[in-house]
Amino acid sequence: MSEIELSAGVIDYTDTGGGAGEDGVGDKDVVVLVHGLGFDESVWDAVVEELRGDFRVVVPVLPIGSHRRPMRPDADLSAHGIAAILAEFLERLDLHDVTLVQNDAGTAQLLVGVRDERVGRLVLTSCEALDNYPPGIQGRTLHAASRVPGGLYLLLQSFRVPFLVRMRTSLGGMAKRPIPYALVRRWYRPLLTQRAIRRDLAAFCRSTEKDTYLKAAERLREFDRPALVAWGAQDLMMPPATGRRLAELLPRGRYVEIPEAGTLVQLDNPGALCAELRRFIGEGRDTGESAS
């Protein structure tokens, strides 16, 4: 695990290395994988393992719940603030012509038309979009709890109980396949053990407006680079209809459904997702497209 100090604080990340820089030197396209609330880089492990032989794969741990290092108390941790952290991360690593892949949270959408000059291709897998925010009963419960003193801490106690985690109103509703409880313990340990991490997540929930992604959708209409919307076919929290509407907004967007997958497509069916990513990036190579 590597680390980098940004304006909001220190961010951990993984990097398989070998990608091209601004001068085009290097033989691998750069793929940046972005997780959602309450997850860390490990949610992408199967995808990283599948892609690392042919791509430089970078996975930042954003400060939205499973980060191990608290951010500075004055950091902007709203959805727009998290997007700014992601943009700064791409700049500091000097990544260019990135294939930016988002899951669960809507962060990547907020770069479009604002700080998207390093993004060559955009991939949105099941994520918050349009008017689906907070998404599902999970999202609504989390945001309600964050607004009550002590509410977030009490809600998080349910993640100590495997039976409660498996319920469809909890993490169990985000995946078609059972999520190994060892992963759940890993993801939620920072929130359960560090008050400052809970403070960071609460800041996100309290400061992100309900219409954040609906407003961002207007800028998606101007995104002139290739885009792929790859949605879990059995997603209950982020309905496929939302994904189809999202793809229609993107001038060069294409919509596909990942079979046998819920919100966490990278856990449920990493093979199908990787096949779509390879096809999508390969199409860009064939036409010689580049963000630069």
Side-chain angles (χ1 to χ4, degrees):
M1 180 72 73
S2 301
E3 63 181 53
I4 187 169
E5 185 165 1
L6 305 179
S7 56
V10 177
I11 297 293
D12 294 320
Y13 68 98
T14 59
D15 185 352
T16 63
E22 185 176 13
D23 59 1
V25 175
D27 59 352
K28 293 182 178 180
D29 290 296
V30 180
V31 178
V32 176
L33 305 173
V34 187
H35 62 79
L37 272 68
F39 303 104
D40 66 9
E41 80 286 352
S42 64
V43 76
W44 288 107
D45 278 355
V47 173
V48 173
E49 189 61 29
E50 171 69 23
L51 297 181
R52 63 182 304 149
D54 298 311
F55 304 95
R56 177 182 178 183
V57 186
V58 182
V59 190
V61 181
L62 296 177
I64 46 179
S66 282
H67 54 300
R68 276 79 74 177
R69 307 166 187 265
M71 296 295 100
R72 297 189 177 95
D74 61 348
D76 179 1
L77 298 180
S78 66
H80 287 287
I82 297 299
I85 290 171
L86 178 59
E88 185 181 357
F89 175 79
L90 299 180
E91 292 168 2
R92 290 291 305 280
L93 263 64
D94 198 27
L95 302 178
H96 297 265
D97 202 16
V98 164
T99 297
L100 186 62
V101 184
Q102 176 74 61
N103 177 252
D104 182 42
T107 310
Q109 299 168 66
L110 301 178
L111 294 184
V112 173
V114 181
R115 295 177 70 177
D116 63 1
E117 62 277 0
R118 293 175 182 267
V119 179
R121 305 174 191 88
L122 179 64
V123 181
L124 300 174
T125 73
S126 293
C127 62
E128 298 158 345
L130 301 171
D131 53 359
N132 187 34
Y133 183 81
I137 190 170
Q138 297 96 328
R140 293 190 294 272
T141 301
L142 173 63
H143 281 256
S146 71
R147 284 163 170 75
V148 177
L152 187 57
Y153 178 78
L154 291 175
L155 175 64
L156 289 168
Q157 301 313 303
S158 67
F159 292 94
R160 298 184 185 274
V161 184
F163 169 75
L164 296 178
V165 172
R166 291 193 296 268
M167 294 178 65
R168 292 182 67 177
T169 54
S170 183
L171 277 182
M174 296 183 68
K176 184 173 174 59
R177 299 182 181 181
I179 300 173
Y181 189 62
L183 277 178
V184 178
R185 289 198 303 269
R186 173 192 174 110
W187 295 335
Y188 284 84
R189 185 179 296 115
L191 282 167
L192 288 166
T193 59
Q194 297 187 58
R195 177 178 294 180
I197 300 297
R198 294 194 295 274
R199 176 207 67 197
D200 288 350
L201 179 60
F204 176 90
C205 295
R206 292 170 183 164
S207 58
T208 300
E209 301 294 335
K210 183 175 176 58
D211 61 354
T212 294
Y213 300 107
L214 197 57
K215 289 181 177 177
E218 292 305 310
R219 292 193 297 274
L220 295 182
R221 299 177 189 275
E222 306 301 322
F223 188 70
D224 60 359
R225 280 145 274 170
L228 175 68
V229 179
W231 226 256
Q234 281 79 45
D235 196 338
L236 301 176
M237 192 167 75
M238 319 285 189
T242 299
R244 288 191 288 270
R245 289 166 57 203
L246 198 59
E248 290 172 358
L249 291 176
L250 290 155
R252 300 178 62 185
R254 178 164 60 88
Y255 177 78
V256 298
E257 288 189 358
I258 305 299
E260 300 300 312
T263 303
L264 299 175
V265 295
Q266 68 273 60
L267 289 183
D268 280 332
N269 200 340
L273 176 60
C274 288
E276 292 294 347
L277 290 175
R278 288 180 181 279
R279 183 177 301 114
F280 176 60
I281 297 170
E283 289 169 353
R285 282 203 206 103
D286 293 342
T287 58
E289 289 174 328
S290 171
S292 58

